[in-house]
Amino acid sequence: MKNGTVKMILALVAIAVVAVGGGSLYAQRNYKETVVLGPGVTRVTMLSEYFDGIKGTAADTKVFILEGDEPGGGVLMFGGAHACEPSGIVAAVVAIESMDVTKGKVVVIPHINRSASTTTQASGGFPLYYNIETNFGPRKFRMGDRNTSAVDQWPDPEIQFHYPTGQSQSYVEARNANRCFPGNANGNLTEQACYAVMQLVEKEGLDIVIDMHEAELFYPVTNCIVAPDKSMNIASFALLSAPFEIVTFRSPQLARGFSHREIGDPVTGDPDAYPFLFEAPEPFLDQPTGPKTEKLLLDGKDEFLGKLGDLGLLFCPYDPEEGKSIDLRVGRHFTTATLIIEEWSYTYEDKQISFTAPSFEEIMANGLKNYFLDPAAAGAQIEEM
Ligand SMILES: [Zn+2]
């Protein structure tokens, strides 16, 4: 075979590899997740309504508002600050489909960093999607990354300087939504998204902000609520009623950019807001595990992590036969949120928020699948995100 022919064949093979690999990434980036509007949803808008600097960008994201007939307090519940931590995103969808609010306002954002949900950690062997079983067939979600997609925000700086304090951070935090609060209208895309969230909190007059995450069991800050001093009484009383083990961590004063550090700060944030961050234990995120499969993501069963548990190296009780299922992790987030809101309403009678929502016991007994609505039902109102 001639040299030119060999080169041509090699070039075609290279193009085919790039097309096949790139095609699946392109499809994942553009895949739209389905949400059915539950009986409590009164309005759907975009985050850019609160800051038009992100309009038309990958950071713009759907905002679901559930408002009761009676005036009261307000809460923002969001998932997806780290889009590789699915239970916060799924808990937000369960809130949209199953919560009904009679007093006050519940604002829900499943993907606070939507750009991060449009890419995944291919080099970490992450799946591109995960499917949640429902009574009406599987509901397919994009498996995201921890940070804003480099397609949307690039290049990274040598050093990231937190706005507005100027604290120096690792370069990669420039794309980490949970290091960029309170955001910056003139900053990078991640900072602009955080700025839009702060604008939403102020314009909607919200009292509580709940940021739902997942963490490794091999990492000390897991299975917990992280809260600044101002939120700690509410967090502590709420977890006394929790039907599962959960602890509190104090928000570090010296490290900047976290939602729990900045959102309620009297100088950098909104002095009227009380932030809380939840961490559910997620075996998939731990490094010493088997392959990063969709199954591990959903059932949390891993024998290698079990060995670490036997050695007393995990920061959370763990039985590899039982795992940490998505039902458990979503149930925990959803219930911790409802306990915080109930404790808030008990403490601040003039800013009560009243609602109906499934309990932890109901979710665990009936299965998470029971708390999604049928997208194909007559009259079902669908949103894509
Ligand atoms: Zn996180």
Side-chain angles (χ1 to χ4, degrees):
M1 216 182 298
K2 278 184 182 168
N3 232 352
T5 314
V6 172
K7 279 181 185 167
M8 181 71 82
I9 291 169
L10 287 175
L12 287 173
V13 168
I15 289 167
V17 167
V18 169
V20 170
S24 59
L25 296 177
Y26 179 86
Q28 192 248 14
R29 181 170 165 82
N30 291 287
Y31 177 77
K32 295 281 194 296
E33 298 164 351
T34 298
V35 181
V36 186
L37 302 190
V41 178
T42 47
R43 192 160 82 87
V44 181
T45 185
M46 297 298 287
L47 187 57
S48 57
E49 179 185 320
Y50 304 92
F51 172 57
D52 64 9
I54 60 165
K55 198 168 188 166
T57 73
D60 206 359
T61 191
K62 289 258 164 83
V63 177
F64 300 83
I65 300 175
L66 293 73
E67 191 156 13
D69 289 334
E70 271 188 84
V75 55
L76 168 63
M77 286 171 67
F78 65 79
H82 296 147
C84 58
E85 299 165 11
S87 71
I89 297 159
V90 178
V93 172
V94 170
I96 293 162
E97 301 200 14
S98 70
M99 260 180 128
D100 203 357
V101 180
T102 51
K103 189 174 189 180
K105 185 164 40 180
V106 177
V107 180
V108 186
I109 306 178
H111 289 295
I112 205 86
N113 186 349
R114 191 179 181 283
S115 165
S117 78
T118 62
T119 184
T120 190
Q121 288 182 20
S123 59
F126 282 21
L128 291 171
Y129 306 94
Y130 55 94
N131 292 276
I132 303 288
E133 279 308 317
T134 81
N135 289 337
F136 313 102
R139 200 75 79 77
K140 184 173 168 183
F141 290 82
R142 298 181 300 273
M143 178 57 180
D145 192 6
R146 181 174 171 84
N147 295 323
T148 302
S149 171
V151 172
D152 302 314
Q153 185 182 313
W154 188 84
D156 291 330
E158 292 282 320
I159 301 171
Q160 165 73 357
F161 292 102
H162 173 254
Y163 182 85
T165 66
Q167 182 174 75
S168 57
Q169 299 172 321
S170 165
Y171 74 96
V172 77
E173 310 296 25
R175 290 187 283 119
N176 182 348
N178 198 33
R179 298 296 183 280
C180 288
F181 280 101
N184 179 1
N186 300 310
N188 65 40
L189 192 64
T190 313
E191 290 171 319
Q192 288 185 327
C194 290
Y195 177 80
V197 174
M198 294 303 299
Q199 293 295 302
L200 179 152
V201 171
E202 270 191 55
K203 287 177 185 167
E204 293 289 345
L206 303 179
D207 307 294
I208 306 169
V209 178
I210 292 171
D211 177 4
M212 297 178 286
H213 288 248
E214 298 191 311
E216 301 88 337
L217 284 69
F218 203 27
Y219 177 66
V221 185
T222 192
N223 211 34
C224 64
I225 305 173
V226 187
D229 288 353
K230 67 187 286 187
S231 304
M232 199 49 98
N233 270 359
I234 300 283
S236 303
F237 280 111
L239 66 76
L240 288 178
S241 325
F244 40 78
E245 189 179 313
I246 184 165
V247 296
T248 56
F249 276 95
R250 183 169 180 264
S251 174
Q253 284 301 290
L254 297 179
R256 307 305 305 231
F258 295 98
S259 65
H260 50 76
R261 173 66 187 81
E262 309 293 348
I263 287 177
D265 186 275
V267 178
T268 56
D270 179 346
D272 298 326
Y274 285 68
F276 303 85
L277 183 147
F278 304 165
E279 295 281 10
E282 161 63 302
F284 180 95
L285 296 174
D286 276 285
Q287 282 312 320
T289 67
K292 302 294 184 191
T293 58
E294 182 185 5
K295 181 181 178 299
L296 175 60
L297 185 71
L298 296 178
D299 71 14
K301 294 178 181 174
D302 186 84
E303 57 177 311
F304 302 101
L305 205 57
K307 295 275 184 242
L308 288 188
D310 293 343
L311 296 171
L313 294 172
L314 301 180
F315 291 88
C316 169
Y318 183 64
D319 175 351
E321 302 283 316
E322 215 172 87
K324 297 283 182 195
S325 71
I326 189 80
D327 288 31
L328 173 79
R329 282 141 46 205
V330 170
R332 284 178 56 106
H333 273 338
F334 196 65
T335 302
T336 309
T338 58
L339 291 173
I340 294 275
I341 299 168
E342 283 167 4
E343 191 57 42
W344 168 271
S345 300
Y346 178 74
T347 309
Y348 300 99
E349 282 186 339
D350 56 328
K351 290 182 176 179
Q352 285 182 339
I353 303 161
S354 306
F355 57 89
T356 55
S359 69
F360 181 74
E361 291 82 356
E362 285 170 332
I363 292 173
M364 294 312 290
N366 304 328
L368 188 62
K369 62 180 181 357
N370 275 287
Y371 299 96
F372 293 89
L373 299 174
D374 182 3
Q381 284 183 281
I382 311 288
E383 287 286 338
E384 291 191 321
M385 60 179 193

